[in-house]
Amino acid sequence: EPEVTQTPSHQVTQMGQEVILRCVPISNHLYFYWYRQILGQKVEFLVSFYNNEISEKSEIFDDQFSVERPDGSNFTLKIRSTKLEDSAMYFCASSGGAPGGFFGPGTRLTVL
Amino acid sequence: AQSVSQHNHHVILSEAASLELGCNYSYGGTVNLFWYVQYPGQHLQLLLKYFSGDPLVKGIKGFEAEFIKSKFSFNLRKPSVQWSDTAEYFCAGKNYGGSQGNLIFGKGTKLSVKP
C-alpha cells in the first residue's frame, strides 16, 4: 500500500538554526499539506500546497516557514530561524483531491 | 471560531466491551468529518470519513460513526474492542471554507484495552 514517508524521524537543532523537514508524498497525489502537533496539544494545520504554490496557510505559518517541491517527489518544510516554541511533531500529508489526506509518520523537531 | 471537541481524554476498556468515543463540532454548513487513529509508534491513519449521504458511516477494522446534525456530533463506535485497538483516536473536521487539507482536530482520546 502506498504511503507518505518523512525524514528525518527526529531532528535536534539549536535555536536560530535553519531546518528542512522532508516528505515524500504518495506518487499520484497532487495536494500536499503540513501539520504540527506541539506536545500535549492538538494537531494544527500549517499549509496546503497545490500546483507548485501555497493554496492556503494558517496564522502559524509565518515568514519563518516556507515550503517547496524541489523535484517531482519531495515536499519540504523549511523553518528559517528556529525558536524554542517550534519544537513539535511535524506531519506531512497528501491527497488526490478529496478533503483529508494520508499522513506520514512525522518528524519530531526538538529546538534547544 | 470553528472547533472540534473530544471530551474523553483517556478511556480504559476490557476486551469485548463496546466503545463509543464522543466528538462534537461547532460549526454549521457543509461538514466533512473524519476519525483518525494513531497506533503506538505509527502515523495517523484514516478510520472513516463522512461527507454526505447516509449518516452512519462504516470504516475499517469494524469501526463506525454516526453523524447527528441536530447534536453536532460524530461519535465513533465499535461493538466489541480488541487489545489491538489500543491507540489514540482523533476526530477532525474540514475547516469550512478552507482548502481540502485544512482540518481542525480534536485533542484526541487515548484508548487502552485490557486483555
Side-chain angles (χ1 to χ4, degrees):
Chain A
E1 186 178 326
E3 57 183 26
V4 176
T5 60
Q6 291 185 243
T7 54
S9 56
H10 191 186
Q11 173 89 48
V12 181
T13 190
Q14 295 289 328
M15 191 169 57
Q17 294 296 303
E18 174 183 287
V19 295
I20 298 176
L21 310 183
R22 290 183 165 79
C23 168
V24 179
I26 293 172
S27 63
N28 61 346
H29 283 178
L30 300 175
Y31 296 80
F32 315 116
Y33 317 108
W34 283 101
Y35 302 82
R36 78 171 185 192
Q37 185 179 27
I38 295 171
L39 189 64
Q41 298 188 25
K42 296 183 180 185
V43 176
E44 301 170 290
F45 167 78
L46 292 178
V47 65
S48 293
F49 190 86
Y50 169 71
N51 201 25
N52 282 321
E53 60 182 25
I54 291 173
S55 49
E56 186 182 10
K57 57 184 181 180
S58 72
E59 292 175 351
I60 303 166
F61 195 89
D62 61 22
D63 291 344
Q64 69 164 328
F65 291 94
S66 62
V67 289
E68 195 177 31
R69 189 149 161 84
D71 52 45
S73 59
N74 290 284
F75 178 51
T76 62
L77 174 70
K78 183 192 291 187
I79 309 175
R80 238 177 298 281
S81 177
T82 50
K83 299 180 279 203
L84 294 175
E85 54 265 37
D86 294 327
S87 293
M89 194 76 153
Y90 287 81
F91 295 103
C92 173
S94 70
S95 78
F102 292 83
F103 281 74
T107 293
R108 180 169 298 286
L109 176 65
T110 302
V111 182
L112 303 176
Chain B
Q2 298 171 20
S3 66
V4 172
S5 302
Q6 293 179 250
H7 302 295
N8 305 109
H9 177 62
H10 190 185
V11 172
I12 302 172
L13 296 173
S14 297
E15 275 195 314
S18 65
L19 169 72
E20 182 160 3
L21 301 182
C23 173
N24 289 93
Y25 63 95
S26 67
Y27 50 95
T30 304
V31 291
N32 299 142
L33 297 165
F34 309 83
W35 275 98
Y36 284 89
V37 61
Q38 188 172 31
Y39 297 103
Q42 296 190 28
H43 58 279
L44 287 162
Q45 297 175 41
L46 182 65
L47 269 180
L48 49 79
K49 58 188 176 184
Y50 172 78
F51 289 172
S52 64
D54 189 343
L56 185 62
V57 182
K58 295 199 183 295
I60 60 171
K61 305 182 190 238
F63 286 92
E64 65 178 32
E66 186 173 11
F67 169 62
I68 303 179
K69 190 174 180 180
S70 60
K71 295 184 178 179
F72 294 89
S73 70
F74 188 59
N75 293 355
L76 181 71
R77 301 194 294 245
K78 186 171 184 179
S80 175
V81 294
Q82 301 170 319
W83 176 79
S84 57
D85 293 323
T86 294
E88 190 153 17
Y89 293 80
F90 295 90
C91 182
K94 179 181 167 299
N95 194 346
Y96 182 68
S99 65
Q100 302 295 61
N102 190 342
L103 302 184
I104 300 172
F105 280 82
K107 277 196 156 184
T109 298
K110 188 175 176 181
L111 172 66
S112 299
V113 180
K114 298 184 291 185

